[in-house]
Amino acid sequence: MLARLEQRPGGELAERMQIEFLKLSAEHSVARMPAEGNRQPAGFVHGGAYCVIAETLGSVSANIHAGEGRYAVGTDINATHTRSITSGWVTAECTAVHLGRSMTVHEIVCTDDEGRRASTLRITNFIKTR
């Protein structure tokens, strides 16, 4: 699993959404994605796009924590959208809230190019043994 994370950290959907990984660790990770190509018909970044970048970043962080021979699977995600982004980049910063033996919780804050919070998300991952 760790080798796959190094080759393609976010998988196919992250690639399709043009997510770029800037920092990856269990405790703190950062990624970004362009608004362009990830907007809904009204011109705002789609709420589901925030969920994708957050789940991707939180799951990669959880899998790094899980370590060799184990893997993390998402069991819950929630999002509160507080601002619309229409252009530029969405930057997602993921911070560990809990890193346990069988469960992780991460908070992900998505901001616009001016650093204004647009969405706050939380993901819980369950850690399994292969």
Side-chain angles (χ1 to χ4, degrees):
M1 177 60 120
L2 292 178
R4 265 189 289 167
L5 285 175
E6 290 170 7
Q7 294 171 1
R8 186 190 240 174
E12 295 170 357
L13 183 56
E15 285 180 16
R16 182 169 290 127
M17 294 180 71
Q18 300 178 4
I19 294 173
E20 299 176 2
F21 298 92
L22 306 176
K23 177 184 178 184
L24 292 174
S25 76
E27 297 82 12
H28 183 249
S29 296
V30 181
R32 69 182 194 155
M33 71 178 177
E36 185 176 347
N38 293 309
R39 294 182 290 220
Q40 45 137 297
F44 308 121
V45 171
H46 195 289
Y50 292 117
C51 291
V52 170
I53 194 170
E55 182 155 358
T56 299
L57 205 50
S59 292
V60 169
S61 297
N63 274 289
I64 291 169
H65 172 70
E68 203 62 47
R70 297 168 34 146
Y71 63 99
V73 294
T75 58
D76 180 67
I77 188 166
N78 69 58
T80 302
H81 310 304
T82 52
R83 175 180 296 276
S84 298
I85 297 177
T86 58
S87 63
W89 292 87
V90 174
T91 299
E93 187 168 357
C94 174
T95 305
V97 174
H98 175 76
L99 296 173
R101 283 178 300 149
S102 62
M103 182 179 64
T104 64
V105 178
H106 288 87
E107 178 184 64
I108 301 90
V109 175
C110 295
T111 58
D112 65 11
D113 287 334
E114 285 78 47
R116 296 175 297 190
R117 187 181 295 233
S119 188
T120 305
L121 304 97
R122 189 189 72 234
I123 182 170
T124 302
N125 278 281
F126 179 68
I127 298 175
K128 300 178 83 169
T129 302
R130 291 210 177 277

